[in-house]
Amino acid sequence: MNYLSMFAGLQNMAQNEDVLSEAGTKSTEITLNFIDLAFKGGWIMIPIFALSIIAIWIFFERFYAIRRASKKDDNFMNRIKDYIHEGKIDSALSLCESNDTPVSRMISKGVKRIGRPLNDVNAAIENIGNLEVSKLEKNLPTLATVAGAAPMIGFLGTVMGMIQAFYAMANAGNNIDVSLLANGIYTAMVTTVAGLIVGIIAYFAYNILVAKVEKVVFTMEATTTEFMDLLNEPIK
């Protein structure tokens, strides 16, 4: 009988271990996906999400606009020089109009001012250049604002979450439970992470676009100098 009772006890222990292992497996299978985690952040995630959409839209819209503006025809200035030397002003203007770039629009304004004092020609080109740079930099200040505002909104969510957690702790008295603090802590941590992610991405996107604009500006300045040197050449 003792052997039978020992065998029955071992069998019960094995069954209990199986139950515990199954429970442990089920507990490890509990996961929290990205959407559920975002909802844990509360309503403060709405402006952070809106800022992320704005940042993405500005980056891709400006990226393709600047890439179009940076198109360069290596023979453009050589053909302009030939037309001007030959006195074919209309042909030079037609060539500028066929190239839809900031450089071509600047040179077009300069070609139209040929015959006037060089200072007037240079001033006209610079004015067009400033307008073109302003177009290239469109919405970049907004992107910079997103880079700075998103982390700040995330920190605001952190403070709100901690206030919520301490308020729940104060109302619980001596019956403090981790579950009472979970919502506030989730809000604090999730909003901080979300705000920092959006801010970092917007910061890198802003600097990438600024670097591309500066490259276009350098090309514009170099072309302007080349055109003014052409006008300064002595008449042969």
Side-chain angles (χ1 to χ4, degrees):
M1 294 294 293
N2 290 334
Y3 289 108
L4 292 175
S5 61
M6 289 176 62
F7 179 76
L10 292 173
Q11 187 175 10
N12 290 331
M13 289 176 63
Q15 291 176 352
N16 291 334
E17 290 179 357
D18 292 338
V19 172
L20 291 174
S21 63
E22 290 178 359
T25 303
K26 291 180 179 179
S27 62
T28 56
E29 290 177 354
I30 297 175
T31 57
L32 190 65
N33 58 39
F34 177 80
I35 297 177
D36 293 336
L37 191 62
F39 278 112
K40 293 290 184 180
W43 66 267
I44 203 73
M45 292 293 292
I46 296 175
I48 294 176
F49 178 74
L51 290 177
S52 67
I53 296 299
I54 293 172
I56 293 172
W57 180 82
I58 291 175
F59 175 75
F60 284 104
E61 189 273 334
R62 285 293 86 197
F63 181 85
Y64 288 110
I66 295 171
R67 190 172 71 172
R68 288 195 302 270
S70 62
K71 290 189 302 183
K72 184 178 179 181
D73 184 1
D74 295 333
N75 293 323
F76 175 74
M77 283 306 299
N78 292 329
R79 296 174 66 184
I80 290 292
K81 289 179 181 179
D82 293 338
Y83 287 141
I84 292 177
H85 287 155
E86 296 171 2
K88 298 179 179 179
I89 305 300
D90 292 336
S91 299
L93 290 174
S94 299
L95 177 61
C96 292
E97 293 175 356
S98 63
N99 288 270
D100 186 20
T101 62
V103 170
S104 65
R105 286 188 284 271
M106 290 172 57
I107 300 303
S108 175
K109 179 62 68 174
V111 170
K112 292 177 182 178
R113 294 293 190 273
I114 290 179
R116 297 187 181 183
L118 294 179
N119 289 334
D120 294 344
V121 176
N122 191 32
I125 293 176
E126 287 183 355
N127 290 334
I128 295 298
N130 292 332
L131 293 175
E132 293 297 332
V133 172
S134 178
K135 291 178 182 178
L136 292 175
E137 293 177 344
K138 178 184 176 182
N139 291 328
L140 289 188
T142 303
L143 187 58
T145 301
V146 171
M152 295 177 65
I153 295 176
F155 292 144
L156 174 62
T158 301
V159 175
M160 294 175 61
M162 296 308 297
I163 291 174
Q164 183 180 353
F166 281 116
Y167 180 78
M169 186 186 301
N171 289 336
N174 294 328
N175 299 321
I176 298 178
D177 188 3
V178 177
S179 62
L180 296 175
L181 310 178
N183 290 333
I185 295 174
Y186 266 125
T187 300
M189 297 296 101
V190 171
T191 54
T192 301
V193 172
L196 288 174
I197 290 174
V198 174
I200 291 171
I201 293 175
Y203 178 76
F204 278 104
Y206 172 78
N207 283 282
I208 290 171
L209 295 178
V210 167
K212 288 185 172 295
V213 170
E214 290 179 351
K215 185 176 180 180
V216 176
V217 171
F218 176 78
T219 302
M220 293 166 61
E221 292 176 349
T223 306
T224 300
T225 301
E226 187 177 358
F227 180 76
M228 294 306 299
D229 289 341
L230 172 62
L231 299 183
N232 280 314
E233 290 180 357
I235 300 175
K236 297 180 180 180

